[in-house]
Amino acid sequence: MSSASAVIAAWSELWDSTGPEDRAWRLLSAADALGTHDLGAVRRAYRRAIEQALPQGFYLRNNTFYGPAGGLRLVAGALVDDAGRTTLQLHHDVLEQAVHGPVGTGADAYFWQIADRHRLSADGLRLYGDWTVFTGETSPEASVRTALALWGRTHVQELADSGRHPIEVLSAALLGQFGTEDDVAQVAARYRTALAAVLPPGFALDGDAVYGPHPPVEADVKGAVLSVDLVAVVAAYATAPRELLTAQQVADVIGAASADSARHTLSRWGVTAAEYRTEAGRVQARWDGDQVRTAWRSRPGRGRRTQLLADGSTGGKPGR
């Protein structure tokens, strides 16, 4: 702390708490989040964020703020500038922004941005990082979308040689638009399985974040995440041999009463046979398994209620 520094204000003069740690406790308690967040980690992170947000020449020591004293003079026991403004009047906005975040963030919103990096899972596991911490993407699915588009654009010939993609898909790949949401879901499922296999013992990917032991342990979680070759996962999926289904197999997939019913349903959905084979003197159609499943997931009449029944979800919003 410079000799040209002066006391601006004690924390309790500005906020209804004794310091950053007390404010953290109060906010977590009010939100009934003491059991869902690592209180000690939140307290430390909140104070550290405030200290780092203060401009050069400003300090938070214990629970008192200090700031530049150059050009100030002592009048009636208080330091003021030539216009009679006190250190608090001069620097109030600086302190507000350090404690409550940039203008427009919102006091509580800024705190929760910090606190939620230290959430605990339902099993008491500690948050070791959201997906953005490890990759810069918002979720594994977002990473997959990026990888699909890039791989498709740069490996169109391999897509064509695989024989499992129609000309429309190859044209989209050339434009960097390879991969439907169904593709994303299928690749992401494989990607998440691969990630689960390489994370350190006791760690798990839950949604878009990695949780692990609490209290925290030293572990190279980011290294484990980055060790999975997403490009290889995409390539294996994009060029895998195409699954061809008989009419009866289609009926089993979509829940049709019979092979004939499955044929009529596919026709109504606009799904045509991928190839025809002659077996026992009869021509037999075969349908692309991926196209069948995609059409089934997006079938007419599949509204919100159908989605809820199929997914087993309730539509309720999770709490903090």
Side-chain angles (χ1 to χ4, degrees):
M1 185 163 46
S2 167
S3 60
S5 295
V7 172
I8 301 175
W11 179 285
S12 58
E13 293 179 60
L14 302 172
W15 297 285
D16 185 21
S17 52
T18 59
E21 292 80 4
D22 185 39
R23 182 168 191 264
W25 178 86
R26 288 169 184 254
L27 288 171
L28 289 170
S29 179
D32 196 23
L34 288 173
T36 59
H37 289 69
D38 182 340
L39 176 59
V42 172
R43 282 173 159 170
R44 292 189 294 273
Y46 186 41
R47 174 176 283 271
R48 186 166 58 249
I50 294 169
E51 292 172 343
Q52 293 175 347
L54 287 169
Q56 185 173 1
F58 291 81
Y59 308 89
L60 173 62
R61 293 293 182 265
N62 295 320
N63 295 322
T64 300
F65 289 98
Y66 297 81
L72 301 180
R73 54 196 175 88
L74 189 63
V75 176
L79 287 172
V80 297
D81 67 358
D82 292 339
R85 293 173 297 183
T86 66
T87 53
L88 180 55
Q89 290 171 327
L90 286 169
H91 304 310
H92 182 269
D93 290 347
V94 171
L95 305 189
E96 281 282 341
Q97 186 162 326
V99 172
H100 293 160
V103 176
T105 303
D108 290 355
Y110 179 65
F111 169 78
W112 287 110
Q113 287 176 9
I114 297 168
D116 282 346
R117 298 172 194 153
H118 303 281
R119 296 191 312 269
L120 300 176
S121 73
D123 298 323
L125 297 176
R126 180 182 183 275
L127 176 70
Y128 278 73
D130 291 321
W131 194 251
T132 52
V133 172
F134 306 123
T135 68
E137 296 274 11
T138 57
S139 67
E141 284 69 23
S143 295
V144 167
R145 287 187 188 92
T146 300
L148 277 168
L150 180 60
W151 197 92
R153 187 170 63 248
T154 54
H155 296 82
V156 176
Q157 189 58 54
E158 289 183 54
L159 291 174
D161 291 344
S162 71
R164 65 187 301 262
H165 301 286
I167 188 64
E168 293 83 7
V169 171
L170 299 179
S171 297
L174 284 170
L175 299 174
Q177 299 171 349
F178 175 65
T180 64
E181 283 305 299
D182 187 65
D183 294 323
V184 170
Q186 293 194 50
V187 175
R190 301 182 186 197
Y191 187 33
R192 286 177 176 273
T193 297
L195 289 165
V198 301
L199 286 174
F203 287 78
L205 175 62
D206 183 3
D208 301 332
V210 174
Y211 290 87
H214 176 65
V217 299
E218 290 293 329
D220 185 11
V221 180
K222 184 173 183 177
V225 168
L226 297 181
S227 72
V228 177
D229 189 348
L230 177 54
V231 173
V233 176
V234 169
Y237 169 80
T239 60
R242 182 167 56 172
E243 179 189 19
L244 295 176
L245 304 178
T246 65
Q248 185 54 55
Q249 289 171 325
V250 170
D252 294 338
V253 168
I254 67 175
S258 65
D260 282 342
S261 177
R263 293 189 190 94
H264 291 306
T265 299
L266 291 178
S267 177
R268 190 170 67 253
W269 291 347
V271 179
T272 59
E275 69 173 48
Y276 292 90
R277 300 177 183 176
T278 301
E279 297 178 0
R282 297 180 58 189
V283 177
Q284 302 284 341
R286 294 290 187 274
W287 288 265
D288 185 301
D290 288 342
Q291 291 184 22
V292 169
R293 292 184 177 88
T294 298
W296 179 75
R297 291 188 181 97
S298 57
R299 62 193 182 276
R302 184 175 168 78
R304 182 175 182 277
R305 176 174 174 78
T306 308
Q307 182 71 48
L308 292 176
L309 293 173
D311 295 346
S313 55
T314 62
K317 295 182 179 180
R320 179 176 293 283

mmCIF file of all heavy atoms in Angstrom, residues 119-121 123-129 200-205 209-217 221:
data_model
loop_
_atom_site.group_PDB
_atom_site.id
_atom_site.type_symbol
_atom_site.label_atom_id
_atom_site.label_comp_id
_atom_site.label_asym_id
_atom_site.label_seq_id
_atom_site.Cartn_x
_atom_site.Cartn_y
_atom_site.Cartn_z
ATOM 1 N N ARG A 119 -20.138 -24.440 -7.314
ATOM 2 C CA ARG A 119 -21.314 -25.229 -6.947
ATOM 3 C C ARG A 119 -20.894 -26.633 -6.514
ATOM 4 O O ARG A 119 -19.847 -27.148 -6.903
ATOM 5 C CB ARG A 119 -22.275 -25.357 -8.130
ATOM 6 C CG ARG A 119 -22.874 -24.073 -8.616
ATOM 7 C CD ARG A 119 -24.014 -24.346 -9.597
ATOM 8 N NE ARG A 119 -23.651 -25.302 -10.620
ATOM 9 C CZ ARG A 119 -23.127 -24.976 -11.794
ATOM 10 N NH1 ARG A 119 -22.874 -23.709 -12.078
ATOM 11 N NH2 ARG A 119 -22.846 -25.896 -12.683
ATOM 12 N N LEU A 120 -21.757 -27.248 -5.748
ATOM 13 C CA LEU A 120 -21.625 -28.658 -5.410
ATOM 14 C C LEU A 120 -22.747 -29.409 -6.105
ATOM 15 O O LEU A 120 -23.839 -28.880 -6.305
ATOM 16 C CB LEU A 120 -21.735 -28.863 -3.900
ATOM 17 C CG LEU A 120 -20.689 -28.152 -3.024
ATOM 18 C CD1 LEU A 120 -21.006 -28.384 -1.558
ATOM 19 C CD2 LEU A 120 -19.291 -28.626 -3.361
ATOM 20 N N SER A 121 -22.478 -30.637 -6.500
ATOM 21 C CA SER A 121 -23.516 -31.444 -7.145
ATOM 22 C C SER A 121 -24.461 -31.980 -6.079
ATOM 23 O O SER A 121 -24.248 -31.803 -4.875
ATOM 24 C CB SER A 121 -22.886 -32.608 -7.914
ATOM 25 O OG SER A 121 -22.409 -33.589 -7.002
ATOM 26 N N ASP A 123 -24.659 -34.843 -5.108
ATOM 27 C CA ASP A 123 -23.932 -35.820 -4.310
ATOM 28 C C ASP A 123 -22.833 -35.186 -3.475
ATOM 29 O O ASP A 123 -22.006 -35.877 -2.886
ATOM 30 C CB ASP A 123 -23.307 -36.887 -5.225
ATOM 31 C CG ASP A 123 -24.366 -37.656 -6.003
ATOM 32 O OD1 ASP A 123 -25.443 -37.909 -5.420
ATOM 33 O OD2 ASP A 123 -24.124 -37.998 -7.164
ATOM 34 N N GLY A 124 -22.806 -33.849 -3.445
ATOM 35 C CA GLY A 124 -21.797 -33.168 -2.653
ATOM 36 C C GLY A 124 -20.466 -33.023 -3.351
ATOM 37 O O GLY A 124 -19.466 -32.665 -2.730
ATOM 38 N N LEU A 125 -20.431 -33.303 -4.652
ATOM 39 C CA LEU A 125 -19.188 -33.150 -5.403
ATOM 40 C C LEU A 125 -18.973 -31.686 -5.744
ATOM 41 O O LEU A 125 -19.918 -30.933 -5.956
ATOM 42 C CB LEU A 125 -19.240 -33.983 -6.692
ATOM 43 C CG LEU A 125 -19.365 -35.490 -6.500
ATOM 44 C CD1 LEU A 125 -19.497 -36.183 -7.849
ATOM 45 C CD2 LEU A 125 -18.175 -36.045 -5.747
ATOM 46 N N ARG A 126 -17.739 -31.293 -5.855
ATOM 47 C CA ARG A 126 -17.387 -29.898 -6.109
ATOM 48 C C ARG A 126 -17.277 -29.652 -7.611
ATOM 49 O O ARG A 126 -16.802 -30.503 -8.362
ATOM 50 C CB ARG A 126 -16.048 -29.570 -5.434
ATOM 51 C CG ARG A 126 -15.578 -28.149 -5.637
ATOM 52 C CD ARG A 126 -14.228 -27.962 -4.964
ATOM 53 N NE ARG A 126 -13.769 -26.585 -5.072
ATOM 54 C CZ ARG A 126 -13.112 -26.098 -6.111
ATOM 55 N NH1 ARG A 126 -12.842 -26.884 -7.140
ATOM 56 N NH2 ARG A 126 -12.713 -24.845 -6.126
ATOM 57 N N LEU A 127 -17.708 -28.463 -8.039
ATOM 58 C CA LEU A 127 -17.557 -28.075 -9.446
ATOM 59 C C LEU A 127 -16.090 -27.755 -9.717
ATOM 60 O O LEU A 127 -15.489 -26.908 -9.064
ATOM 61 C CB LEU A 127 -18.410 -26.842 -9.747
ATOM 62 C CG LEU A 127 -18.275 -26.269 -11.166
ATOM 63 C CD1 LEU A 127 -18.906 -27.209 -12.177
ATOM 64 C CD2 LEU A 127 -18.932 -24.896 -11.243
ATOM 65 N N TYR A 128 -15.512 -28.450 -10.700
ATOM 66 C CA TYR A 128 -14.119 -28.203 -11.074
ATOM 67 C C TYR A 128 -14.007 -27.350 -12.333
ATOM 68 O O TYR A 128 -12.926 -26.911 -12.666
ATOM 69 C CB TYR A 128 -13.377 -29.528 -11.272
ATOM 70 C CG TYR A 128 -12.901 -30.123 -9.971
ATOM 71 C CD1 TYR A 128 -13.806 -30.707 -9.090
ATOM 72 C CD2 TYR A 128 -11.566 -30.080 -9.608
ATOM 73 C CE1 TYR A 128 -13.383 -31.245 -7.880
ATOM 74 C CE2 TYR A 128 -11.125 -30.618 -8.404
ATOM 75 C CZ TYR A 128 -12.045 -31.200 -7.545
ATOM 76 O OH TYR A 128 -11.622 -31.706 -6.345
ATOM 77 N N GLY A 129 -15.112 -27.130 -13.005
ATOM 78 C CA GLY A 129 -15.075 -26.251 -14.161
ATOM 79 C C GLY A 129 -16.237 -26.480 -15.099
ATOM 80 O O GLY A 129 -16.635 -27.618 -15.345
ATOM 81 N N PRO A 200 -10.256 -38.301 -14.291
ATOM 82 C CA PRO A 200 -9.623 -38.912 -13.110
ATOM 83 C C PRO A 200 -10.660 -39.617 -12.238
ATOM 84 O O PRO A 200 -11.844 -39.261 -12.251
ATOM 85 C CB PRO A 200 -9.009 -37.708 -12.379
ATOM 86 C CG PRO A 200 -8.854 -36.652 -13.435
ATOM 87 C CD PRO A 200 -10.001 -36.846 -14.374
ATOM 88 N N PRO A 201 -10.229 -40.602 -11.464
ATOM 89 C CA PRO A 201 -11.161 -41.301 -10.567
ATOM 90 C C PRO A 201 -11.893 -40.325 -9.653
ATOM 91 O O PRO A 201 -11.296 -39.413 -9.084
ATOM 92 C CB PRO A 201 -10.236 -42.221 -9.757
ATOM 93 C CG PRO A 201 -9.055 -42.453 -10.648
ATOM 94 C CD PRO A 201 -8.865 -41.153 -11.385
ATOM 95 N N GLY A 202 -13.196 -40.522 -9.531
ATOM 96 C CA GLY A 202 -14.000 -39.656 -8.674
ATOM 97 C C GLY A 202 -14.562 -38.445 -9.371
ATOM 98 O O GLY A 202 -15.295 -37.661 -8.769
ATOM 99 N N PHE A 203 -14.218 -38.254 -10.662
ATOM 100 C CA PHE A 203 -14.697 -37.109 -11.428
ATOM 101 C C PHE A 203 -15.756 -37.570 -12.432
ATOM 102 O O PHE A 203 -15.732 -38.706 -12.910
ATOM 103 C CB PHE A 203 -13.549 -36.425 -12.175
ATOM 104 C CG PHE A 203 -12.625 -35.653 -11.285
ATOM 105 C CD1 PHE A 203 -11.672 -36.310 -10.530
ATOM 106 C CD2 PHE A 203 -12.720 -34.272 -11.190
ATOM 107 C CE1 PHE A 203 -10.813 -35.612 -9.689
ATOM 108 C CE2 PHE A 203 -11.873 -33.559 -10.354
ATOM 109 C CZ PHE A 203 -10.915 -34.236 -9.610
ATOM 110 N N ALA A 204 -16.675 -36.657 -12.757
ATOM 111 C CA ALA A 204 -17.738 -37.002 -13.709
ATOM 112 C C ALA A 204 -18.185 -35.756 -14.457
ATOM 113 O O ALA A 204 -18.196 -34.647 -13.906
ATOM 114 C CB ALA A 204 -18.921 -37.625 -12.978
ATOM 115 N N LEU A 205 -18.553 -35.957 -15.719
ATOM 116 C CA LEU A 205 -19.139 -34.890 -16.529
ATOM 117 C C LEU A 205 -20.644 -34.952 -16.332
ATOM 118 O O LEU A 205 -21.289 -35.943 -16.660
ATOM 119 C CB LEU A 205 -18.786 -35.081 -18.004
ATOM 120 C CG LEU A 205 -19.437 -34.111 -19.002
ATOM 121 C CD1 LEU A 205 -18.997 -32.679 -18.721
ATOM 122 C CD2 LEU A 205 -19.095 -34.501 -20.438
ATOM 123 N N ALA A 209 -20.651 -29.434 -17.123
ATOM 124 C CA ALA A 209 -19.627 -29.159 -16.114
ATOM 125 C C ALA A 209 -19.036 -30.461 -15.594
ATOM 126 O O ALA A 209 -19.664 -31.523 -15.659
ATOM 127 C CB ALA A 209 -20.221 -28.359 -14.967
ATOM 128 N N VAL A 210 -17.817 -30.360 -15.087
ATOM 129 C CA VAL A 210 -17.136 -31.507 -14.489
ATOM 130 C C VAL A 210 -17.130 -31.329 -12.975
ATOM 131 O O VAL A 210 -16.723 -30.289 -12.459
ATOM 132 C CB VAL A 210 -15.689 -31.640 -15.006
ATOM 133 C CG1 VAL A 210 -14.959 -32.745 -14.249
ATOM 134 C CG2 VAL A 210 -15.683 -31.944 -16.498
ATOM 135 N N TYR A 211 -17.602 -32.358 -12.268
ATOM 136 C CA TYR A 211 -17.606 -32.365 -10.817
ATOM 137 C C TYR A 211 -16.634 -33.424 -10.312
ATOM 138 O O TYR A 211 -16.359 -34.410 -10.982
ATOM 139 C CB TYR A 211 -19.012 -32.670 -10.285
ATOM 140 C CG TYR A 211 -20.007 -31.553 -10.525
ATOM 141 C CD1 TYR A 211 -20.725 -31.473 -11.715
ATOM 142 C CD2 TYR A 211 -20.225 -30.578 -9.558
ATOM 143 C CE1 TYR A 211 -21.625 -30.443 -11.938
ATOM 144 C CE2 TYR A 211 -21.124 -29.548 -9.761
ATOM 145 C CZ TYR A 211 -21.822 -29.483 -10.953
ATOM 146 O OH TYR A 211 -22.705 -28.460 -11.172
ATOM 147 N N GLY A 212 -16.126 -33.177 -9.095
ATOM 148 C CA GLY A 212 -15.185 -34.118 -8.519
ATOM 149 C C GLY A 212 -15.190 -34.037 -7.013
ATOM 150 O O GLY A 212 -16.074 -33.420 -6.411
ATOM 151 N N PRO A 213 -14.184 -34.638 -6.382
ATOM 152 C CA PRO A 213 -14.156 -34.750 -4.914
ATOM 153 C C PRO A 213 -14.239 -33.404 -4.196
ATOM 154 O O PRO A 213 -13.733 -32.395 -4.679
ATOM 155 C CB PRO A 213 -12.795 -35.419 -4.652
ATOM 156 C CG PRO A 213 -12.487 -36.153 -5.914
ATOM 157 C CD PRO A 213 -13.031 -35.303 -7.017
ATOM 158 N N HIS A 214 -14.880 -33.428 -3.064
ATOM 159 C CA HIS A 214 -14.973 -32.261 -2.184
ATOM 160 C C HIS A 214 -14.635 -32.717 -0.771
ATOM 161 O O HIS A 214 -15.232 -33.674 -0.279
ATOM 162 C CB HIS A 214 -16.389 -31.686 -2.212
ATOM 163 C CG HIS A 214 -16.587 -30.533 -1.257
ATOM 164 N ND1 HIS A 214 -15.918 -29.356 -1.421
ATOM 165 C CD2 HIS A 214 -17.350 -30.413 -0.127
ATOM 166 C CE1 HIS A 214 -16.273 -28.521 -0.441
ATOM 167 N NE2 HIS A 214 -17.142 -29.145 0.350
ATOM 168 N N PRO A 215 -13.639 -32.121 -0.102
ATOM 169 C CA PRO A 215 -12.802 -30.986 -0.516
ATOM 170 C C PRO A 215 -12.000 -31.291 -1.782
ATOM 171 O O PRO A 215 -11.786 -32.451 -2.118
ATOM 172 C CB PRO A 215 -11.893 -30.757 0.694
ATOM 173 C CG PRO A 215 -12.604 -31.426 1.839
ATOM 174 C CD PRO A 215 -13.304 -32.595 1.250
ATOM 175 N N PRO A 216 -11.545 -30.220 -2.461
ATOM 176 C CA PRO A 216 -10.891 -30.393 -3.750
ATOM 177 C C PRO A 216 -9.559 -31.130 -3.666
ATOM 178 O O PRO A 216 -8.874 -31.112 -2.653
ATOM 179 C CB PRO A 216 -10.671 -28.948 -4.226
ATOM 180 C CG PRO A 216 -10.684 -28.128 -2.979
ATOM 181 C CD PRO A 216 -11.652 -28.799 -2.073
ATOM 182 N N VAL A 217 -9.207 -31.806 -4.763
ATOM 183 C CA VAL A 217 -7.926 -32.497 -4.893
ATOM 184 C C VAL A 217 -7.234 -31.984 -6.145
ATOM 185 O O VAL A 217 -7.865 -31.409 -7.035
ATOM 186 C CB VAL A 217 -8.122 -34.025 -4.990
ATOM 187 C CG1 VAL A 217 -8.793 -34.572 -3.747
ATOM 188 C CG2 VAL A 217 -8.940 -34.387 -6.236
ATOM 189 N N VAL A 221 -7.830 -32.019 -14.801
ATOM 190 C CA VAL A 221 -9.111 -32.280 -15.458
ATOM 191 C C VAL A 221 -9.084 -31.766 -16.899
ATOM 192 O O VAL A 221 -9.539 -32.448 -17.823
ATOM 193 C CB VAL A 221 -10.261 -31.631 -14.677
ATOM 194 C CG1 VAL A 221 -11.592 -31.901 -15.362
ATOM 195 C CG2 VAL A 221 -10.294 -32.154 -13.249
#
